Amino acid sequence: MALDHSDKPRTFKVVGTRPPRPDGIDKVTGRARFGADIVAPGMLTGRVLRSPHAHARIVKIDTSKARALPGVKAVVTRADFGAVPEDVADVIDNCMAGDKALYDGHAVAAVAASSAAVARKALRLIDVDYEVLPHVTDVDAAMKPDAPVLHAGRQEETVPEGYSQNVMSRVEFGHGDIDKGLAEADRVVERTYRTGATHQGYIEPHACLATMGPDGQADLWCCTQGHYMVRNTCAAILGMEQGQLRVTASEIGGGFGGKTVVFLEPVALMLSKLAGRPVKMVMSRSEVLRATGPTSSTSIDVKIGMTKDGRITAGFAQLRYQGGAYPGSPVDMGSMSAFAPYDLENVKTVGFDVVTNRPKAAAYRAPGAPMAAFAVESAIDELAKGFDLDPLEVRLKNAAREGTVASYGPTFPAIGLEATLEAAKAHPHWTAPLGENQGRGVACGFWFNFGGDTCVTLNVTPDGTVTVSEGNPDIGGSRASMTMMAAEELGIPYDRVRTIIADTGALGQNEVTDGSRVTFAVGLATIEAARNAKREMCKRAAMIWGIDEEAVEWVDGAARPAGPNAGKHDPMTLKEIAAIASNTGGPIAGHYEVNAEGAGVSFGTHMVDVEVDPDTGATKILRYTVFQDAGKAVHPAYVEGQFQGGAVQGIGWALNEEYIYGEDGILQNAGFLDYRIPVASDLPMIDTVILEIANPGHPYGVRGVGETPIVPPLAAIANAVSEAAGVRMTDLPMSPPRVLAAIQGQKGG
């Protein structure tokens, strides 16, 4: 759907303002109900038994003692699920191990009992006979021909010879001639970069409550980013029709991509089916870290050539991402996004999807892109400084613009990268003085933004208020955005509209809340649903006035005659039309469903100042500024929050966060005491600059903003730390021991 009024900027009355968030009171008073808050009469408690080994064959499971324990109502193993469709085989295998346990924390059995104490005791009574197998947790080690194999016979034909069967697939993107481009360069930088696996760090653990009746009808309440996905996946696993399972999304205490998959839900449904009672399951923090998807750890080779005036002549990257125990790492999106900010004649990326004995990777805010940007933006920075060139000017010289053929194929329409770079260059942060042991870093980042299946209904009530029903959980302010766009389109006040998240039985299919799709796609559908409602209200007014429908228009919240030839009639407001709707044809509603296309790509530039203690290697973030194109900032406060949140998570990824596995393949830091996410005292105030380069694919020009803010921080901070420490940092996180070792190595001590 094209941008409205593309010939001149549109003046908005509601969109672009900062009204109170509609869920604010419920959240601060504790009235909002999250995944663990729902209860049901006769509810049982579900618990999961997890593997203590990184890789082991399950020889035998004896559940007889657990089943005999008073209070135990059901016990489930993989055998209870039977055969499942191929497209969900890995999903159920991750939820409940089959022949092998593939990582520390892999679920092998579950119980439903009358209390948590009984459930815990029952787990201790389950005897599992394991044959411990060799394991591998490092991505490069997993690729070697002699590495322990997780899945034999599943390697795709795209993988060349010489790699182990843990290398599941290979992707390639690019154009031009890399060798020719490198030959034209005055200098070539070739480096290997590594990043640790990091968890999304959401505060709310996974939780659900399942009820399955004897008639096969089931209800599921869960914290998720996509309850339609949960319905479709669980129905396939349990052999149900999708219409038999109604899923309601609770409020969500953080997701960031980590709640776009199922973990407990199929198990809870099966336990409920066997027990004949509702079953509630809630993960502990240790379970969340051991058994739910972090992002990939990576190893990336980059080779970039540049002329002495700062022109990039060629860019090559080989990206190796481990996706945990099952195929599906985000290496394809990392490969596509690595060089996306630049207009390059010669560019190529090659990506390998690798399995290891770790929990299956899940999305984490622009999945795959931050690691790729860390590698590429670090190399570009090193080249720029090697020629004593301004890093911002080098990026401006090579920046992708409207008409650029992207490194991954398409031609860019109107985009905002250049605007973010110009804003960064003009910002006082760029020229602020630095002190001793301090450094400043910049980096650019990119994300695609998605569209997908979307369905919205807008109902006008008899008193003239409006309810918008959408099918995407609100994880970043979408209820406010939908409310604002509906109010804008209808010409009524913000407080006359309420947006609710409907269950799966109330609306058609909706994609998951991910990929920065919701404000774009659901907003588009909301606007069109409002326009459908306006057309109906104009029709009702025309009926009352006795004129043609075409002679009525909607202006400032009311139906009006379109011109003097339509006759003299007083405007009829939405409230007035709604009050007599029963006499003019019945209820008034607008509905719209679409597989949304036209999502606008998103770019950002980050700038950060750090101070490195040369005696300890500790890094302090002094100042941080985010510049990003939002297309149109529907609710600027939410947009700023997204910018700041992505920067904060990037700071944690760059400096502290990583999964640490022992030689035995067991996770060593399965808790927030040892897995350290940033806290307020670690952070400065994060400044934001919103740019608005309209997305031509949305009627209001909206672009998604939630993913891009986490893409540049890793590289921007690494560039700043490298300058402050006097040594190029290539491995993340840049923890104090790692930075100190690099400083001492540089000094020869």
Side-chain angles (χ1 to χ4, degrees):
M1 185 181 301
L3 176 71
D4 290 348
H5 310 294
S6 57
D7 56 330
K8 60 180 180 180
R10 173 170 176 166
T11 300
F12 293 97
K13 295 181 179 179
V14 180
V15 167
T17 63
R18 300 171 183 250
R21 56 187 297 167
D23 57 343
I25 293 176
D26 285 352
K27 295 284 178 68
V28 300
T29 61
R31 191 168 62 193
R33 292 199 295 172
F34 292 86
D37 292 330
I38 189 68
V39 295
M43 184 177 74
L44 301 174
T45 298
R47 288 287 187 272
V48 175
L49 180 67
R50 300 186 179 278
S51 169
H53 306 293
H55 195 193
R57 193 175 313 282
I58 300 173
V59 179
K60 181 182 178 182
I61 301 180
D62 183 355
T63 62
S64 58
K65 295 177 184 177
R67 294 178 190 274
L69 183 68
V72 171
K73 305 301 181 182
V75 180
V76 164
T77 67
R78 177 60 182 278
D80 292 287
F81 290 93
V84 300
E86 185 177 351
D87 61 337
V88 293
D90 282 352
V91 178
I92 186 55
D93 200 62
N94 190 40
C95 294
M96 188 62 63
D99 295 335
K100 294 197 298 182
L102 296 172
Y103 54 89
D104 167 43
H106 197 166
V108 297
V111 302
S114 56
S115 70
V118 173
R120 287 192 294 268
K121 185 175 182 179
L123 293 184
R124 293 194 294 270
L125 294 175
I126 298 175
D127 293 324
V128 185
D129 184 6
Y130 294 102
E131 177 192 346
V132 178
L133 302 172
H135 66 272
V136 60
T137 58
D138 177 76
V139 62
D140 289 323
M143 296 178 71
K144 294 179 179 178
D146 59 349
V149 173
L150 277 71
H151 305 285
R154 292 186 57 181
Q155 187 176 73
E156 293 185 6
E157 294 179 356
T158 56
V159 179
E161 294 183 3
Y163 295 106
S164 81
Q165 292 189 63
N166 295 322
V167 183
M168 306 306 289
S169 62
R170 176 187 183 275
V171 295
E172 180 178 324
F173 302 94
H175 54 255
D177 186 329
I178 295 296
D179 292 336
K180 174 178 175 292
L182 292 173
E184 295 172 354
D186 293 314
R187 185 183 176 200
V188 174
V189 161
E190 186 172 4
R191 296 281 182 269
T192 297
Y193 303 87
R194 294 181 176 85
T195 67
T198 56
H199 200 270
Q200 298 85 353
Y202 36 79
I203 300 303
E204 179 196 22
H206 295 265
C208 67
L209 186 145
T211 301
M212 183 177 287
D215 58 355
Q217 303 292 315
D219 283 277
L220 182 67
W221 172 290
C222 60
C223 54
T224 178
Q225 292 177 233
H227 45 308
Y228 288 81
M229 172 277 300
V230 172
R231 178 196 66 182
N232 300 350
T233 303
C234 291
I237 289 172
L238 274 77
M240 304 170 62
E241 293 180 347
Q242 293 175 359
Q244 292 179 296
L245 175 59
R246 184 180 65 172
V247 182
T248 303
S250 68
E251 291 294 335
I252 184 169
F256 314 110
K259 292 177 181 172
T260 59
V261 288
V262 300
F263 295 107
L264 296 175
E265 293 85 355
V267 178
L269 283 163
M270 182 59 76
L271 286 169
S272 178
K273 178 181 179 180
L274 297 178
R277 288 168 60 178
V279 175
K280 180 176 178 178
M281 304 185 76
V282 181
M283 283 191 179
S284 67
R285 180 61 57 190
S286 174
E287 287 182 297
V288 169
L289 288 167
R290 290 175 65 207
T292 72
T295 191
S296 302
S297 59
T298 72
S299 174
I300 303 172
D301 298 333
V302 168
K303 183 185 288 188
I304 301 178
M306 184 181 289
T307 60
K308 58 187 177 182
D309 65 349
R311 182 174 65 87
I312 299 173
T313 60
F316 171 79
Q318 184 187 98
L319 304 95
R320 301 173 293 276
Y321 285 25
Q322 64 82 17
Y326 302 93
S329 78
V331 72
D332 51 349
M333 289 181 282
S335 300
M336 295 166 75
S337 62
F339 290 100
Y342 301 108
D343 186 353
L344 304 180
E345 183 178 342
N346 307 293
V347 60
K348 181 179 179 181
T349 57
V350 176
F352 292 97
D353 180 22
V354 185
V355 293
T356 61
N357 293 114
R358 293 173 177 244
K360 177 174 171 54
Y364 182 14
R365 249 184 142 151
M371 308 84 113
F374 162 61
V376 169
E377 294 289 316
S378 294
I380 289 175
D381 211 68
E382 185 175 349
L383 281 163
K385 291 181 177 177
F387 287 123
D388 199 25
L389 298 173
D390 184 315
L392 279 177
E393 291 290 355
V394 166
R395 288 170 171 83
L396 272 166
K397 180 185 284 285
N398 296 282
R401 297 170 172 85
E402 184 174 1
T404 292
V405 178
S407 58
Y408 62 96
T411 300
F412 286 134
I415 58 174
L417 176 62
E418 189 174 14
T420 68
L421 287 163
E422 292 286 5
K425 183 180 173 183
H427 197 276
H429 184 171
W430 185 234
T431 53
L434 290 169
E436 187 178 2
N437 300 319
Q438 295 179 359
R440 176 169 298 139
V442 295
C444 297
F446 160 89
W447 185 246
F448 310 89
N449 293 341
F450 301 155
D453 289 341
T454 306
C455 185
V456 168
T457 291
L458 182 150
N459 291 296
V460 180
T461 60
D463 68 356
T465 54
V466 172
T467 299
V468 176
S469 298
E470 58 137 320
N472 283 88
D474 181 0
I475 67 170
S478 61
R479 271 179 293 215
S481 296
M482 299 315 122
T483 300
M484 294 174 73
M485 284 187 270
E488 183 74 50
E489 195 60 38
L490 294 171
I492 62 177
Y494 171 82
D495 60 10
R496 299 285 289 174
V497 182
R498 181 187 185 193
T499 297
I500 64 170
I501 313 303
D503 65 54
T504 57
L507 290 172
Q509 172 71 17
N510 280 271
E511 298 286 351
V512 175
T513 299
D514 68 356
S516 294
R517 67 170 293 273
V518 174
T519 303
F520 162 75
V522 183
L524 184 154
T526 298
I527 291 167
E528 280 303 301
R531 290 177 178 176
N532 287 336
K534 288 194 303 184
R535 282 189 282 270
E536 180 60 26
M537 288 187 285
C538 286
K539 177 181 175 182
R540 303 291 179 93
M543 181 190 308
I544 294 168
W545 294 333
I547 61 177
D548 292 339
E549 294 176 32
E550 293 75 14
V552 181
E553 61 181 355
W554 192 266
V555 180
D556 293 334
R560 302 171 185 269
N565 293 336
K568 293 184 178 180
H569 303 283
D570 291 335
M572 290 191 68
T573 66
L574 183 151
K575 185 174 182 178
E576 291 170 335
I577 295 171
I580 58 173
S582 296
N583 299 324
T584 60
I588 296 172
H591 185 77
Y592 196 73
E593 60 280 320
V594 64
N595 187 321
E597 298 180 350
V601 296
S602 174
F603 292 91
T605 298
H606 288 207
M607 187 183 303
V608 58
D609 295 351
V610 306
E611 181 173 297
V612 175
D613 186 332
D615 295 323
T616 66
T619 298
K620 181 179 181 181
I621 305 291
L622 303 174
R623 186 174 183 179
Y624 205 111
T625 309
V626 178
F627 308 84
Q628 187 174 318
D629 170 24
K632 177 61 186 177
V634 178
H635 193 303
Y638 271 118
V639 172
E640 291 164 353
Q642 292 285 350
F643 290 3
Q644 293 162 336
V648 169
Q649 290 180 313
I651 289 169
W653 198 338
L655 297 181
N656 301 311
E657 297 182 45
E658 67 174 324
Y659 270 42
I660 299 172
Y661 281 92
E663 292 185 2
D664 55 2
I666 305 303
L667 184 63
Q668 303 295 298
N669 56 336
F672 279 160
L673 286 176
D674 299 308
Y675 181 93
R676 192 175 182 281
I677 62 175
V679 296
S681 58
D682 296 319
L683 303 166
M685 296 299 292
I686 297 173
D687 296 320
T688 60
V689 177
I690 300 173
L691 287 305
E692 293 186 318
I693 293 80
N695 169 23
H698 188 277
Y700 289 1
V702 167
R703 301 179 192 271
V705 301
E707 320 262 335
T708 304
I710 203 172
V711 181
L714 280 59
I717 297 166
N719 290 335
V721 170
S722 297
E723 180 177 290
V727 56
R728 174 57 56 178
M729 301 300 299
T730 58
D731 289 10
L732 299 184
M734 294 174 291
S735 57
R738 186 169 282 161
V739 173
L740 184 61
I743 293 172
Q744 292 175 339
Q746 182 79 355
K747 294 179 179 179

